[in-house]
Amino acid sequence: ELIHVPLIVKLPHNARAGAEVREPATLADLFATVTSLVGTPNAPKTSGLPLFEKLPAGRPIYSESLYARLHLGWSDLRSVTNDARQLIESSRSELYDINADPAEKRDLAPSDRRAVTALREKLGQFPAGESVQSAITPEEKAKLTALGYVASPAASSQRSVNPVDRIGDIEELQDASRLAGTDMPAARAKFRDLLAKEPGMVEAWVQFGDALLRAGEVDGAIDSYRNAIAHSSGPLPDVLLSLASAYLQKSDTAHAMEAARAAMPFDPRAAHSVTALVALAKGDTTTAESEAAAIERPHAGDLVLRADIASHQNRFNDALSLLDQAEQKEGSVYRLHFVRGDVFARMNRNREAIAEFRTEIAKYPNDLDAYERLAFVLVIAGDARGGDQVLDQMVTANPTPVARRLAAETRKALRQ
């Protein structure tokens, strides 16, 4: 059901409307199809075939998935399918009759070795994908490994689990993730039970870290993210950046910068953004500006970041101009109204600041900083009751330990 899916093609002027291609196709055919339709001269040769030409019925279709290896610590999956059978290779071979048994409930591999051998020969015609696609040099990888940001071979050596044998573990992970939104103690127990028996389940460590971070348990989140990285067979840039954000939440800018820079070879756009935020948190607006300027082809969110930096440099008109550009580019952008409100507050234009913070809250009710800053501006403007009500609104909209702690800290600061 994941690899045998329909493809719908809409051609100009409704050409070939209603036509069907019943022979199995592959994603590799799309390039050949497009170049054929538009008449690309000297198009590179690929293994794909144009879909609107006669396709051979018995052509083997290759598929692979590295998800189980990279995210769960299990075996990867490779398969080849013809018009009757599918062979799946992982830590063992599986064979299914896709016509008589489309749900793949009856494994025929033990009883039909001849078909297994024939399809395995077909599978051998396709090169296996690399488990990790990376442009880093051996020197960079050695440095990241020494920092603990790339798994060592010993940490990722157990890859013999067939994913089909661990479907129950996936269901446990889904249960734990669902619980994290309503019952964190129960979710914590489920995550810990699952990870005790499946310590190499990278995705479980990541989701546990995300849940802990949302609950305000920053140290626990950091530990989970580092465990995910330690058990992965390759770099995890998204997790490195989550780790950097977690360190930033506890004001550990040194480790935050280290984690963000470790992600730079894999996701430079996001890494430059996070390093800019870390530098801004340190008060180093020069480095923050340099990191933000290194983002190629900036999106609207990148312009908001640059505006935030400009605001901290007291370049208020530049900040407002950048925010206008971001709004014209994309319309609604996370933190745009927060940063604009902050600019107005720094310019002592409190009425406009209040309106912008309220707009940010209306569009993004989970942006806790907007509530906090609005409460301060309201109190400065002489509306202490309004400031208190905003903090109540924040906790009502975000009934989490993080929001409750921020409300208490803000009230304490406002009384001083």
Side-chain angles (χ1 to χ4, degrees):
E1 63 184 28
L2 294 179
I3 62 174
H4 192 192
V5 296
L7 171 68
I8 300 174
V9 178
K10 171 66 169 66
L11 297 177
H13 311 297
N14 292 323
R16 298 179 181 268
E20 293 185 7
V21 177
R22 294 190 172 275
E23 291 77 18
T26 174
L27 288 175
D29 296 330
L30 295 183
F31 179 78
T33 301
V34 172
T35 56
S36 173
L37 287 171
V38 301
T40 304
N42 302 316
K45 295 293 185 182
T46 69
S47 62
L49 300 173
L51 292 176
F52 297 116
E53 297 181 7
K54 181 63 177 177
L55 298 177
R59 182 174 58 140
I61 302 296
Y62 175 73
S63 305
E64 70 176 10
S65 173
L66 304 177
Y67 181 88
R69 173 185 287 186
L70 297 179
H71 294 274
L72 303 174
W74 302 338
S75 171
D76 54 5
L77 296 169
R78 301 178 70 222
S79 88
V80 65
T81 307
N82 59 23
D83 56 350
R85 302 288 177 93
Q86 180 180 25
L87 175 72
I88 301 174
E89 287 285 340
S90 60
S91 55
R92 69 170 187 273
S93 300
E94 302 168 61
L95 180 69
Y96 298 99
D97 184 329
I98 57 175
N99 295 318
D101 179 26
E104 299 181 354
K105 298 296 186 181
R106 297 184 297 277
D107 182 5
L108 304 177
S111 60
D112 195 348
R113 303 307 303 174
R114 181 176 297 179
V116 170
T117 300
L119 285 173
R120 190 177 286 151
E121 290 178 359
K122 297 289 187 183
L123 186 62
Q125 299 173 8
F126 300 92
E130 295 295 326
S131 60
V132 178
Q133 298 290 336
S134 170
I136 62 172
T137 65
E139 292 77 15
E140 289 173 325
K141 184 173 182 179
K143 182 179 178 181
L144 294 175
T145 301
L147 290 170
Y149 293 138
V150 178
S152 64
S156 56
S157 59
Q158 188 177 357
R159 297 285 180 260
S160 60
V161 174
N162 189 327
V164 75
D165 297 330
R166 299 295 175 87
I167 297 299
D169 291 343
I170 297 293
E171 293 171 350
E172 287 184 41
L173 176 58
Q174 292 171 339
D175 288 343
S177 296
R178 279 193 293 267
L179 275 173
T182 56
D183 188 347
M184 191 58 200
R188 186 185 295 107
K190 279 190 171 292
F191 274 120
R192 287 177 173 165
D193 288 346
L194 177 59
L195 288 165
K197 66 178 181 178
E198 287 285 354
M201 200 173 190
V202 174
E203 186 64 22
W205 286 114
V206 173
Q207 293 192 25
F208 191 23
D210 292 345
L212 290 169
L213 197 61
R214 288 194 298 269
E217 300 179 35
V218 180
D219 288 331
I222 289 171
D223 180 69
S224 290
Y225 291 143
R226 293 194 71 97
N227 267 294
I229 293 165
H231 286 92
S232 173
S233 60
L236 299 173
D238 289 348
V239 183
L240 286 169
L241 294 170
S242 293
L243 178 63
S245 297
Y247 276 126
L248 188 56
Q249 282 195 30
K250 62 179 297 187
S251 301
D252 185 346
T253 54
H255 282 105
M257 187 67 78
E258 179 185 78
R261 292 206 181 281
M264 193 70 73
F266 316 102
D267 189 348
R269 171 186 291 278
H272 280 303
S273 179
V274 174
T275 51
L277 289 171
V278 175
L280 195 59
K282 293 168 63 177
D284 183 358
T285 58
T286 300
T287 299
E289 185 177 16
S290 174
E291 292 290 340
I295 299 174
E296 298 181 357
R297 296 183 294 277
H299 298 165
D302 303 320
L303 296 177
V304 172
L305 172 61
R306 288 169 56 185
D308 197 10
I309 296 167
S311 175
H312 281 77
Q313 295 172 326
N314 296 324
R315 295 189 294 113
F316 301 131
N317 289 333
D318 290 343
L320 292 173
S321 176
L322 285 164
L323 292 169
D324 288 344
Q325 293 175 43
E327 196 164 28
Q328 291 169 7
K329 183 183 285 282
E330 201 167 304
S332 181
V333 184
Y334 178 64
R335 301 282 284 186
L336 186 151
H337 294 284
F338 170 82
V339 174
R340 188 180 279 150
D342 184 60
V343 173
F344 286 144
R346 291 171 184 267
M347 298 173 73
N348 294 318
R349 293 163 60 175
N350 290 339
R351 180 175 297 178
E352 292 163 289
I354 290 169
E356 290 294 328
F357 289 136
R358 290 197 186 281
T359 299
E360 178 74 18
I361 290 169
K363 292 187 174 184
Y364 305 100
N366 296 329
D367 187 351
L368 303 186
D369 291 341
Y371 296 93
E372 178 197 28
R373 200 65 56 87
L374 175 58
F376 273 105
V377 175
L378 285 169
V379 170
I380 291 170
D383 187 1
R385 182 180 178 185
D388 197 58
Q389 290 174 337
V390 164
L391 296 176
D392 288 339
Q393 178 190 356
M394 176 178 70
V395 175
T396 300
N398 302 272
T400 65
V402 177
R404 287 190 286 270
R405 183 164 59 246
L406 179 60
E409 292 171 351
T410 304
R411 285 190 169 102
K412 181 178 179 181
L414 288 171
R415 287 195 296 267
Q416 293 177 351

